Amino acid sequence: MKFSTIALTLVLSMSGIKASPLVAPFYVEQDSAKENIQNEMTVLNSGIASLQFRLDMIKRAKKSIEVEYFIYNQDQAGRILTQALVEAAKRGVKVRILVDKSMPIFAMDNHIAKELRQYGVDLRFYNDATLLELSTTQFRSHRKLFLIDDVEAITGGRNIGDDYFDLSDHFNFLDRDIHVKGSIVKTMRESFDKYFEHKIVEDPKEPIKPTGSKISLYRGGRRATAIRKYESDLKQFKKAQANAKHFLLENDTDREIKEKVEIISRPILQAKKSYNCPLTTYATDLPGARFSQRLRIDYGDTYRVLRKVMGKKIDDIKTDLLISSPYFINNKITRGMMYDLLDKNINIKIYTNSLGSTDAVYVAANFYADVFKWQAEGVDPYIHNGKWIPEHPTISEGVKTAKWGTHSKTQIYDNDEVMIGTYNVDNRSNYYNSEMAIFCKGNPELTKEVADNIHSRTKAGYRIIDNHEAVDENNLPADVYGNPTKMSKFIMNAIAIPSILLRDLL
């Protein structure tokens, strides 16, 4: 059922949230029984198996592939997936890729776009605002979507990179994706179209090779400077050009890694169970937000769809709320919701990163400024401790000994409805980043699988039980900061005050 403007207004007004005038594809709810449709879901907890699942999807593609990510790295995972996408394009599949252009982490470029275009792959970049545009550059697309033939899709916490697929010897994320097959997928693709075709998106131009045509205009020292600049620019151009070609060219290492991934993943995937979802909700924020829109009174009402949908679902909770989020920073809105739930004696359990497991020390500074107060008021906080959890086999011993952190973005309401998506409990997801999520209500087996996995991860970590006190799974005293290095703790303490002052941007 696609929500009409009237229906959406009614649903959101019930929770006291200002109603949005938006309709599909940004907010859609489908009732399988009433509409004679089906949405089948599979939970993907293993990173390496989630990589193989994507490769399998690419092989199944017949007409179209849509790929959208906040981070898309030029590492082993990026190489393997991109090469597979090129092979799909060669056999006639329409392939479109959208990558957020957040400069501190942006790994693609116009040279790669040019190489992909030769095979028919359309690569574009979301929001090319420079770092000098301090306000506008904050509005990123944090969405994550892998979609095939309007039939099946994956969303969840994983970006494209080794650390999301259990391939790094340095740092890996415990994460979670949801594979969806059914009628809701067409709506997800329609939302991709809105992003891909938006005016904020850059269609990268072909790189221009540097020329020395103007060198003759200079004399003396200026001529020497011009020559050096030309030679440096030409060297960088050729390096980027060669890198792009190499990125798409399969080598022995790529083949070896793919073979290992296949061997480890196949038994995991064969044991996976799929579930029919009685009530499916898909929600995503709108594309195109910039600083000028942020100043408008109706910014939140116009652009921030997902947080309103979650707000309604959380407001309806009767007994339990379970949240897994890599970053946990409350703002005025989420803090008020938390205290409202506590006042109604709702059990709130959270699972997030410790200082010892996070990839963002400045977030940890905010978390530790508040978490002991939350615990005293009734919240049950669990933290990851930076260690590998033996849920599944790994590709090497180095992966096991790497630092690990949680990255899954999951919520469970009353043990009856699951949300898996891209939303973090922080101000970036609430105010700036475009986010998306899939909700499933009414399948107890699906809910139990997700809840059991979260509980097993919390059990392997530490539970905060008092002011600056934590225990492990055996109820023995544990480091409340998750066994960080001395340097991490020093940095967190050093940046604590500025991190708290800047929490609106975190």
Side-chain angles (χ1 to χ4, degrees):
M1 176 180 66
K2 292 188 176 182
F3 268 58
S4 66
T5 302
I6 295 175
L8 184 55
T9 299
L10 177 62
V11 166
L12 297 178
S13 64
M14 289 171 61
S15 63
I17 302 170
K18 187 178 179 183
S20 168
L22 301 169
V23 294
F26 303 106
Y27 178 34
V28 172
E29 189 172 90
Q30 294 182 347
D31 188 319
S32 296
K34 292 181 180 179
E35 302 177 54
N36 193 29
I37 57 175
Q38 183 170 304
N39 288 300
E40 186 179 85
M41 301 188 182
T42 306
V43 182
L44 300 170
N45 294 313
S46 163
I48 198 165
S50 192
L51 174 59
Q52 183 62 53
F53 205 110
R54 285 167 169 82
L55 293 171
D56 292 344
M57 289 172 67
I58 293 172
K59 291 179 181 179
R60 291 194 291 266
K62 294 179 174 60
K63 297 179 181 178
S64 61
I65 301 175
E66 286 78 34
V67 176
E68 180 180 357
Y69 284 94
F70 177 58
I71 296 173
Y72 198 122
N73 287 332
Q74 290 189 47
D75 54 14
Q76 195 62 64
R79 288 178 57 86
I80 289 172
L81 283 169
T82 307
Q83 291 164 9
L85 291 170
V86 168
E87 289 303 310
K90 287 180 179 178
R91 65 175 189 265
V93 177
K94 180 182 180 182
V95 180
R96 295 181 292 168
I97 305 174
L98 181 60
V99 179
D100 186 83
K101 199 174 184 180
S102 178
M103 294 312 298
I105 55 175
F106 183 65
M108 307 300 267
D109 59 30
N110 290 27
H111 290 272
I112 291 177
K114 177 186 176 182
E115 288 298 315
L116 288 172
R117 197 175 295 123
Q118 295 179 14
Y119 299 103
V121 177
D122 192 351
L123 169 63
R124 300 183 187 181
F125 308 136
Y126 184 91
N127 189 2
D128 62 348
T130 67
L131 293 177
L132 297 177
E133 300 173 84
L134 185 59
S135 297
T136 297
T137 196
Q138 302 299 325
F139 295 87
R140 311 313 323 175
S141 175
H142 195 242
R143 288 167 33 109
K144 299 161 182 66
L145 182 62
F146 204 93
L147 196 149
I148 307 294
D149 290 342
D150 276 10
V151 174
E152 55 179 322
I154 288 178
T155 190
R158 292 185 177 94
N159 290 293
I160 304 302
D162 288 353
D163 38 354
Y164 300 95
F165 297 113
D166 306 353
L167 296 179
S168 174
D169 287 341
H170 305 289
F171 188 96
N172 293 285
F173 288 112
L174 289 164
D175 218 323
R176 183 173 297 105
D177 287 327
I178 187 84
H179 173 257
V180 186
K181 185 176 182 180
S183 58
I184 200 71
V185 175
K186 183 175 183 292
T187 301
M188 299 172 76
R189 193 265 305 155
E190 289 172 350
S191 75
F192 173 88
D193 290 345
K194 296 293 185 182
Y195 273 79
F196 195 76
E197 296 163 2
H198 198 278
K199 62 182 179 181
I200 201 173
V201 168
E202 173 192 359
D203 189 356
K205 298 178 181 177
E206 184 166 326
I208 300 175
K209 185 176 181 179
T211 67
S213 59
K214 294 184 179 181
I215 291 178
S216 60
L217 300 177
Y218 300 104
R219 295 290 183 270
R222 294 183 64 190
R223 180 182 176 87
T225 300
I227 291 174
R228 286 195 297 271
K229 185 178 186 308
Y230 162 69
E231 291 175 344
S232 175
D233 290 346
L234 183 60
K235 181 179 179 180
Q236 291 300 317
F237 178 90
K238 290 181 177 180
K239 182 179 179 181
Q241 190 177 53
N243 174 72
K245 293 181 181 296
H246 180 257
F247 183 59
L248 302 185
L249 185 63
E250 186 180 62
N251 57 33
D252 290 341
T253 300
D254 299 329
R255 286 185 282 271
E256 179 183 351
I257 295 296
K258 282 199 299 183
E259 183 177 349
K260 289 182 178 180
V261 168
E262 171 88 26
I263 292 171
I264 294 173
S265 299
R266 196 54 64 197
I268 299 172
L269 294 177
Q270 289 173 348
K272 290 302 300 181
K273 183 174 180 180
S274 297
Y275 308 90
N276 289 327
C277 181
L279 185 62
T280 303
T281 303
Y282 171 68
T284 181
D285 297 319
L286 265 70
R290 287 182 177 271
F291 181 63
S292 57
Q293 284 90 4
R294 182 71 176 89
L295 295 176
R296 289 165 47 185
I297 295 175
D298 65 345
Y299 165 79
D301 181 51
T302 303
Y303 286 91
R304 314 309 297 173
V305 178
L306 179 57
R307 77 178 187 189
K308 292 198 288 285
V309 174
M310 287 192 301
K312 172 62 176 65
K313 292 179 180 294
I314 291 174
D315 191 54
D316 286 343
I317 291 175
K318 300 296 187 296
T319 58
D320 297 274
L321 172 62
L322 175 60
I323 299 178
S324 177
S325 174
Y327 317 116
F328 219 101
I329 301 177
N330 266 333
N331 55 48
K332 181 173 66 175
I333 296 173
T334 57
R335 187 183 303 112
M337 294 173 68
M338 183 181 77
Y339 289 133
D340 285 345
L341 293 175
L342 290 174
D343 287 343
K344 293 189 291 185
N345 294 317
I346 304 299
N347 299 312
I348 304 175
K349 182 176 180 178
I350 66 174
Y351 172 59
T352 189
N353 279 308
S354 65
L355 173 62
S357 66
T358 190
D359 61 334
V361 175
Y362 47 87
V363 173
N366 277 275
F367 174 69
Y368 282 103
D370 293 331
V371 67
F372 304 117
K373 179 181 179 182
W374 301 342
Q375 190 277 331
E377 291 170 340
V379 176
D380 197 7
Y382 288 77
I383 52 174
H384 189 61
N385 57 15
K387 300 177 181 178
W388 170 66
I389 299 176
E391 292 181 349
H392 303 104
T394 63
I395 200 167
S396 69
E397 289 299 315
V399 171
K400 294 180 182 179
T401 58
K403 179 179 175 180
W404 286 75
T406 180
H407 196 259
S408 64
K409 300 97 163 45
T410 307
Q411 299 180 10
I412 300 180
Y413 316 123
D414 286 335
N415 295 306
D416 183 50
E417 183 168 18
V418 175
M419 181 281 279
I420 297 177
T422 69
Y423 173 89
N424 297 313
V425 182
D426 63 15
N427 292 313
R428 296 215 56 81
S429 286
N430 273 306
Y431 297 121
Y432 297 101
N433 291 343
S434 290
E435 307 287 2
M436 62 186 294
I438 282 284
F439 302 77
C440 178
K441 184 175 183 178
N443 189 310
E445 290 184 280
L446 170 62
T447 305
K448 186 177 186 302
E449 179 179 335
V450 178
D452 285 351
N453 183 256
I454 296 175
H455 292 317
S456 70
R457 291 179 178 183
T458 61
K459 186 177 179 181
Y462 300 151
R463 182 185 183 189
I464 296 176
I465 60 168
D466 207 340
N467 188 28
H468 289 85
E469 291 185 24
V471 294
D472 63 14
E473 62 178 310
N474 298 313
N475 211 35
L476 297 174
D479 187 345
V480 75
Y481 295 102
N483 312 307
T485 63
K486 291 182 179 179
M487 180 58 69
S488 293
K489 198 166 185 179
F490 172 80
I491 293 173
M492 185 187 76
N493 291 330
I495 66 173
I497 293 177
S499 294
I500 293 171
L501 291 175
L502 293 173
R503 71 164 61 198
D504 284 350
L505 295 176
L506 303 182

